[in-house]
């Protein structure tokens, strides 16, 4: 059949091509708008909005410039003095953690306290303020020496001997498996360390209590309080309750799952 010369070509295109063109146009317009935004200079205040016909215009402008310079100098001096003060003044460490509460709350709610100490720096972890709070509330407490795999057995024995005179102490590693030289620290714990990291002895000591007891965990920042809590729960086959802050370990013992950190340590 012969082709009709009067017929015009169709302007139809595929949807893929149509949407591609639209996207390209949109991107191009965005680029233009961005360049215009960056190129347009903001209007500057000319002569502090002082009219040209105003008398003593030059004197007023000079005064304004001098004031601006003096304010700049004052700001610089304030910054310098603040830096000097912060260098000399001893600012106490403020601890803010979502996982922990304040120490006095845990002390008031608990009947027995597990004081977690980092075996790498035990002296820093022992706070006189916390000790006074615990003794003032007349609460029993147990020292838990955490991270014992990171310390030589020689130093750990010394600290164990010192702390056991004050309160019952339990060396602990907050993981399920432990196979290091620290198994030989105390011969009585040798078998139990290999599997449970010292928590079996701690829990057997807690179960010896005659009455029902609430156990709270306290200690400084980055000592491993939450690890101790989670490993106790793992050993007992329990998990943290989402709604309540307590977890039942045995018939007599309940554990407060949110540990307490002192505000100034």
């Amino acid at each position: 059949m012969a082709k009709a010369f009067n017929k015009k070509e169709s302007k139809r295109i595929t949807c893929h091509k149509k949407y591609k063109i639209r996207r390209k146009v949109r991107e191009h317009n965005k680029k233009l708008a961005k360049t215009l935004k960056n190129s347009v200079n903001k209007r500057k205040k000319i002569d502090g909005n002082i009219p040209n016909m105003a008398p003593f215009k030059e004197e007023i402008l000079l005064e304004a410039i001098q004031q601006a310079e003096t304010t700049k100098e004052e700001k610089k001096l304030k910054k310098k003095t603040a830096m000097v003060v912060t260098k000399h003044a001893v600012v106490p460490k403020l601890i803010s953690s979502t996982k922990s509460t304040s120490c006095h709350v845990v002390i008031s709610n608990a009947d027995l306290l597990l004081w977690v100490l980092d075996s790498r720096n035990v002296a820093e972890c022992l706070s006189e303020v916390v000790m006074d709070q615990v003794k003032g509330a007349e609460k029993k407490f147990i020292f838990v020496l955490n991270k014992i795999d990171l310390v030589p057995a020689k130093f750990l024995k010394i600290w164990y001997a010192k702390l056991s005179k004050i309160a019952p102490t339990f060396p602990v590693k907050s993981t399920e498996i432990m196979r290091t030289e620290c198994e030989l620290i105390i011969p009585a714990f040798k078998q139990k360390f290999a599997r449970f990291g010292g928590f079996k002895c701690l829990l057997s000591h807690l179960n010896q209590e005659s009455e029902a007891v609430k156990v709270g965990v306290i200690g400084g920042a980055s000592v491993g309080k939450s690890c101790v809590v989670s490993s106790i729960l793992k050993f007992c086959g329990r998990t943290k309750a989402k709604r309540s802050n307590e977890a039942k370990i045995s018939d007599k013992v309940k554990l407060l799952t949110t540990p307490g950190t002192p505000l100034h340590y």
Side-chain angles (χ1 to χ4, degrees), residues 36-63:
L36 283 167
K37 213 182 212 180
N38 294 332
S39 62
V40 171
N41 295 320
K42 290 176 184 177
R43 289 181 182 179
K44 291 179 181 178
K45 289 181 180 179
I46 300 159
D47 298 342
N49 292 330
I50 300 163
N52 290 324
M53 298 294 286
F56 313 111
K57 185 184 174 180
E58 288 179 2
E59 291 174 9
I60 293 161
L61 285 169
L62 283 167
E63 280 179 15

Side-chain angles (χ1 to χ4, degrees), residues 214-234:
K214 274 187 185 178
V215 180
V217 180
I218 58 166
S222 65
V223 165
K225 300 181 295 296
S226 54
C227 288
V228 168
V229 170
S230 59
S231 50
I232 287 167
L233 292 169
K234 273 182 190 177

Side-chain angles (χ1 to χ4, degrees), residues 61 65 99 127 191 214:
L61 285 169
I65 290 158
K99 291 181 182 178
S127 172
Q191 293 176 356
K214 274 187 185 178

